């Protein structure tokens, strides 16, 4: 079954806005448009689901802290670089 030109346009627009939608960066009206499209489009909904899973995985990975020794070396290196450019 082929998509209508309007459906293709809707998918293109929804996919272009997915990242902002995932991060709650769209205005209420645009978010509602994306949400409505996702409710009707299985392919875009699946892509949104993948985006949610990747976002959750990245957020979980970002909660890990570097070992204190590495953090201290990095901060020392940053301070030295800043001092040499001042």
């Amino acid at each position: 079954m082929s998509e209508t030109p309007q459906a293709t346009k809707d998918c293109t627009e929804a996919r272009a806005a997915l990242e902002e939608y995932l991060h709650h960066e769209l205005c209420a009206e645009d978010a509602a448009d994306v949400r409505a499209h996702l409710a009707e489009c299985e392919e875009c909904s699946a892509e949104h689901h993948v985006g949610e899973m990747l976002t959750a995985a990245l957020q979980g990975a970002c909660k890990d802290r570097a070992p204190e020794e590495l953090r201290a070396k990095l901060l020392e290196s940053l301070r030295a670089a800043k001092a040499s450019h001042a």
Side-chain angles (χ1 to χ4, degrees), residues 44-58:
C44 290
S45 182
E47 189 167 328
H48 174 248
H49 181 68
V50 169
E52 286 180 319
M53 303 220 8
L54 288 172
T55 299
L58 286 172

Side-chain angles (χ1 to χ4, degrees), residues 3-12 37 41:
E3 293 183 356
T4 66
Q6 183 61 40
T8 302
K9 180 181 177 215
D10 290 346
C11 287
T12 301
H37 179 77
C41 181

